[in-house]
Amino acid sequence: MLDDTDDIHPLFHGAPSTTEFKKLRKRLVRDTREAIDRYGMVTKGDRWLVCLSGGKDSYTLLAILTELQWRGLLPVDILACNLDQGQPGFPATVLPTFLEKMGVPHRIEYQDTYSIVIDKVPQGRTYCALCSRLRRGNLYRIAREEGCSAVVLGHHRDDILETFFLNLFHGGKLATMPPKLVNDEGDLMVLRPLAHVAEADCERFAHAMSYPIIPCDLCGSQDGLQRQQIKGMLDEWEARSPGRRGKMFSALMSARPSHLLDPSLFDFAGLSPKNRADQ
């Protein structure tokens, strides 16, 4: 399957032939299929707007979804989309050139949200929240214009874990990025097929394939972000106890409402011993 150069999508041309890379590729395919199946992401005939930022995660997302589609395992149409947000120095020709070379159907959209973010966010505050809202609004609009049923994002397992701890430490709630949700308007799905994929695997894969990575200089230039602090904490835990991230992620898939404290999820008031309930 992975060795026949006449039977691969152009996105995989030049893939390393090492055993290590083949194992990585198979693991990415397996973990992505697992998430797609577990959360019921696919309805046959859907059209997916696959969001491509130019980072390692979105390249991995596009490649693995395209491979699944190429193999007949993902019965959806894929439209790659990059939203050029007008950041100074953004290499606007990189992604169009790449997608055309790879034969991937795509849409490149220019919307100067950068100027809005710089104007609205006070100096010293982080840009991520407003930048994300503006980006998401544009992606929803594009999805509707293109007849897509879902907006597909490249968030991976580590993003989900970091968001959980951000909400726990700073938001006072048990919540994270769900792998599948309906937007507020109720007309689009938002999907995260890489929900079970480790960030390190995305990084190894995109590097091995020599995809033209574009860094996000808008938020990447800001120090002291809460998410960076959480990432550092998780890195330290993982270094001390290898496999810790996997254990924590498994916990997110094994919630026990009766062993938490939210009465809206479990009827604590109605709980009583059997002999008392029978009286």
Side-chain angles (χ1 to χ4, degrees):
M1 171 179 171
L2 301 182
D3 298 325
D4 186 351
T5 56
D6 293 327
D7 187 30
I8 59 173
H9 190 275
L11 278 166
F12 286 92
H13 287 172
S17 58
T18 63
T19 299
E20 181 181 5
F21 179 81
K22 291 176 183 177
K23 288 181 178 179
L24 170 63
R25 181 173 168 184
K26 288 179 180 178
R27 183 165 63 250
L28 286 166
V29 169
R30 180 197 66 210
D31 290 347
T32 303
R33 286 192 69 188
E34 181 181 79
I36 289 173
D37 292 343
R38 182 184 184 96
Y39 304 111
M41 295 185 184
V42 174
T43 299
K44 189 174 182 180
D46 278 353
R47 181 170 167 84
W48 285 6
L49 188 77
V50 178
C51 302
L52 188 67
S53 67
K56 66 184 188 309
D57 308 328
S58 63
Y59 276 120
T60 301
L61 174 69
L62 178 65
I64 299 305
L65 292 182
T66 300
E67 167 142 357
L68 290 172
Q69 183 195 53
W70 185 261
R71 303 294 174 189
L73 300 173
L74 185 63
V76 303
D77 289 331
I78 291 176
L79 178 68
C81 177
N82 171 251
L83 179 63
D84 180 345
Q85 296 179 261
Q87 293 174 224
F90 181 79
T93 62
V94 169
L95 285 171
T97 300
F98 174 81
L99 293 167
E100 288 167 11
K101 179 181 178 181
M102 297 299 167
V104 175
H106 61 277
R107 172 169 169 175
I108 306 296
E109 178 83 3
Y110 177 82
Q111 291 290 330
D112 184 9
T113 64
Y114 173 84
S115 297
I116 299 173
V117 171
I118 295 299
D119 178 62
K120 298 296 184 182
V121 177
Q123 188 174 5
R125 301 289 297 274
T126 58
Y127 303 138
C128 294
L130 179 57
C131 180
S132 178
R133 286 200 300 273
L134 294 172
R135 181 172 63 250
R136 191 69 58 88
N138 277 289
L139 291 173
Y140 287 168
R141 172 183 57 79
I142 295 167
R144 295 181 184 109
E145 291 173 359
E146 295 289 345
C148 295
S149 53
V151 172
V152 186
L153 306 174
H155 296 125
H156 44 64
R157 182 196 70 178
D158 297 73
D159 289 324
I160 290 172
L161 273 175
E162 290 162 16
T163 301
F164 171 79
F165 281 104
L166 281 169
N167 282 321
L168 179 67
F169 294 155
H170 300 287
K173 58 185 176 182
L174 292 179
T176 188
M177 297 173 173
K180 176 182 178 181
L181 62 88
V182 179
N183 69 334
D184 291 340
E185 294 80 4
D187 64 333
L188 292 170
M189 299 301 303
V190 178
L191 306 176
R192 297 182 172 96
L194 299 186
H196 291 183
V197 172
E199 180 178 17
D201 282 349
C202 293
E203 187 167 6
R204 282 191 287 265
F205 177 79
H207 176 74
M209 291 303 305
S210 299
Y211 292 144
I213 304 299
I214 302 173
C216 177
D217 294 327
L218 178 61
C219 57
S221 63
Q222 294 181 287
D223 296 325
L225 295 179
Q226 292 174 345
R227 184 173 292 275
Q228 291 176 344
Q229 295 170 0
I230 295 294
K231 182 184 287 291
M233 178 192 74
L234 294 176
D235 286 343
E236 183 179 349
W237 287 358
E238 185 70 21
R240 292 182 178 181
S241 303
R244 178 68 60 85
R245 272 190 171 94
K247 288 289 186 182
M248 290 188 291
F249 189 78
S250 294
L252 292 180
M253 297 189 290
S254 184
R256 298 185 179 182
S258 63
H259 288 59
L260 296 172
L261 284 80
D262 188 343
S264 69
L265 298 179
F266 186 81
D267 183 15
F268 292 100
L271 192 64
S272 62
K274 285 186 177 180
N275 58 355
R276 182 177 299 177
D278 293 340
Q279 293 177 359

